[in-house]
């Protein structure tokens, strides 16, 4: 008899319930990018550990849908004898079902894990969607971790910049303008921002898993495990009605009769809409207004970003100076530095900085071919050496008491091939083409995306990820709604927003390149905006074909590097200063500039 596996156990459970298949998303009830171990059913089922994906389990085959970031990783982590790998966006699961399954197949799904936009697409696929009233993983996942119960902490007004009472009043006005009676909030970062609270349910994601029901007068019912609130003074909770998370659906049904209730179609579980409709309420599908309120940073938040990026820049320069000394010496000695060793040293430098709390995401420390997987994370089994002639890519960030950082640098130690130099220069020119851009106020992210890709497109190359994403204020590293990518993002870009710029290129099984700065959108000429860099880290020019840079690009690099030098030189370690001055030298003064 064949050994039992999670896949075979799930198939047996589905068969006993009269189901031909089941959808298993990489999702929790909040659509979190980083699931708590208790909620990561996709990883348990498939072995895939990426942050986005969806499995379709049938009796005779199983498919894993992942986006372009994870095509290589998914093939490494899953058993190809069990799972077929498909593209999440180029071949959506709804289209695959419509084209490959007989009509009427009974496909199960958990309604707390599916949002309305997904539900509507699948309803048009020809299958019969069956909402499960139970969790099949409760019976097949025998050592399932417990739900998280991380303590909640306060985000005082001197850091948040606004009282929660003021935020709630502003939200109430918006709900009245929209003509709704209630808003159901299912995104933990929106709740954390609204209530000036931060959480610790999932490492590097400082939000408490919870739900909220907000009335049009700004009154809040907070559905949160009370165990998480032991560190919060009761006076901070006096005007908030507390309830258990398990009471959300019943409460939505209870208040629904004759009411208009706002749900976010891309984030709220369809289980909530089912409850509202069962209670006789009207669902009003609209993006959660908190998402946009949160993304427009106030002056205190922006000052916090600037301060934490100064601290992060010091950590980066101390780290890069150490790496510049150690990497060549260790390689020459025959005991080269490894990815894990380097990321540990970088974390140690961050931990020395004022206000540092934890990493803002799992560091990507990738040498050589590992960097071709753009969301690679080093493990003891994959821990590669950092050697001359290869690129080393480091994408990392920190959660500080007053902000969140995210930056990437790709470094060259020793001579790299002409092809590598050509590709690095194309990525660099894309980075410079976008970060130097002035654009009309209200421009949308997808309208700017091509500026970062032009250098690669001219070589017939591209990258399969977005060019930039919003960053939360001591919140999520990927913050909605703003994004620069090929996909339409219909939200106006305005002063006061914080976003990244991060073009890249990845040659499978060879190397990867990415350059990333976090930027603040500021006013430019009347009616226009531009980007102001928050990140304070020298850009490595050793692999660049400097003669291909325009005078405008060189002028920006020189100005940026002078600013980095002036801000950081008084703060970095004494032994790091020579490296900093060399790394920030004017382009025309560099020894490798062709004269």
């Amino acid at each position: 008899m064949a050994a039992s596996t999670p896949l075979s156990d799930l198939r047996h459970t589905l068969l006993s319930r009269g189901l031909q298949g089941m959808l298993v998303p990489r999702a929790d009830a909040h659509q979190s990018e980083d699931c708590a171990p208790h909620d990561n059913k996709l990883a348990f089922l498939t072995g895939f550990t990426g942050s986005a994906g969806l499995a379709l389990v049938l009796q005779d085959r199983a498919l894993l849908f992942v986006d372009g970031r994870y095509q290589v990783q998914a093939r490494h982590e899953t058993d190809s004898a069990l799972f077929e790998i498909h593209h999440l966006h180029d071949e959506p699961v709804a289209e695959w079902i419509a084209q490959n399954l007989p009509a009427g197949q009974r496909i199960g799904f958990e309604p707390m894990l599916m949002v309305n936009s997904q539900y509507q697409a699948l309803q048009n696929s020809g299958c019969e969607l069956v909402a499960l009233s139970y969790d099949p993983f409760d019976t097949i996942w025998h050592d399932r971790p417990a739900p998280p119960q991380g303590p909640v902490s306060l985000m005082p007004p001197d850091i948040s910049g606004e009282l929660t009472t003021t935020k709630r009043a502003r939200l109430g006005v918006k709900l009245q303008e929209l003509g709704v009676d209630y808003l159901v909030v299912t995104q933990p970062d929106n709740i954390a921002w609204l209530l000036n609270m931060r959480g610790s349910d999932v490492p590097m994601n400082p939000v408490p898993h919870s739900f909220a029901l907000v009335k049009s007068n700004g009154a809040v019912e907070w559905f949160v495990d009370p165990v998480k609130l032991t560190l919060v003074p009761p006076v901070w909770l006096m005007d908030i009605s507390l309830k258990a998370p398990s009471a959300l659906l019943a409460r939505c049904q209870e208040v629904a009769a004759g009411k208009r209730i706002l749900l976010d179609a891309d984030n709220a579980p369809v289980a909530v809409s089912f409850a509202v409709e069962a209670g006789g309420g009207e669902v009003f599908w609209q993006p959660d207004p908190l998402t946009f309120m949160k993304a427009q940073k106030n002056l205190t938040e922006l000052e916090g970003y600037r301060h934490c990026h100064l601290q992060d820049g010091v950590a980066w320069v101390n780290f890069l100076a150490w790496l510049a000394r150690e990497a060549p010496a260790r390689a020459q000695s025959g005991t080269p530095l490894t990815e894990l060793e380097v990321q540990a040293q970088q974390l140690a430098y961050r931990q020395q900085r004022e206000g540092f709390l934890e990493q803002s995401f799992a560091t990507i420390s990738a040498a050589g071919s590992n960097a071709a997987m753009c969301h690679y994370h080093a493990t003891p089994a994959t821990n590669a050496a950092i050697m001359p002639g290869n690129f080393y890519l480091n994408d990392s960030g920190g959660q500080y008491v007053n902000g969140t950082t995210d930056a990437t640098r790709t470094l060259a130690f020793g001579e790299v091939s002409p092809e590598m130099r050509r590709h690095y220069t194309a990525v660099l020119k894309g980075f410079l083409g976008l970060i130097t851009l002035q654009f009309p106020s209200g421009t949308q992210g997808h309208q700017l995306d091509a500026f970062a890709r032009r250098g690669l497109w001219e070589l017939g190359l591209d990258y399969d990820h977005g060019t930039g994403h919003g960053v939360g204020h001591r919140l999520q590293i990927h913050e909605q709604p703003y994004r620069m990518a090929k996909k339409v993002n219909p939200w106006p870009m305005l002063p006061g927003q914080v976003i990244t710029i991060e073009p890249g290129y990845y040659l499978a099984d060879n190397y990867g390149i990415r350059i990333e700065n976090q930027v603040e959108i500021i006013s430019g000429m009347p009616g226009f905006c531009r980007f102001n860099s928050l990140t304070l880290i020298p850009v490595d020019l050793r692999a660049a074909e400097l003669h291909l840079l325009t005078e405008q690009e060189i002028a920006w690099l020189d100005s940026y590097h002078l600013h980095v030098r002036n801000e950081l030189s008084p703060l970095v370690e004494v032994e790091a200063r020579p490296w900093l001055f060399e790394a920030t030298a004017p382009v025309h003064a560099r020894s490798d500039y062709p004269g």
Side-chain angles (χ1 to χ4, degrees), residues 245-318:
S246 59
L248 175 70
L249 297 181
R251 179 61 176 157
C252 288
Q253 184 169 340
E254 180 184 5
V255 303
K259 303 298 184 183
R260 198 177 193 215
I261 299 179
L262 192 156
L263 302 180
D264 191 315
D266 292 325
N267 293 288
V270 291
V272 181
S273 64
F274 295 165
V276 170
E277 290 165 351
E282 175 192 355
V283 174
F284 179 62
W285 295 110
Q286 178 90 0
D288 184 343
L290 282 169
T291 301
F292 311 101
M293 294 170 65
K294 178 179 84 267
Q296 202 67 36
K297 313 306 179 190
N298 62 47
L299 295 179
T300 302
E301 290 173 322
L302 291 170
E303 186 57 36
Y305 280 108
R306 297 182 193 112
H307 182 268
C308 72
H309 275 87
L310 180 68
Q311 296 299 318
D312 211 54
V314 173
W316 263 98
V317 167
N318 288 338

Side-chain angles (χ1 to χ4, degrees), residues 185 210 214 308 348 461:
V185 190
S210 62
V214 184
C308 72
L461 306 173

Side-chain angles (χ1 to χ4, degrees), residues 28 572 574:
D28 59 16
V572 300
V574 172

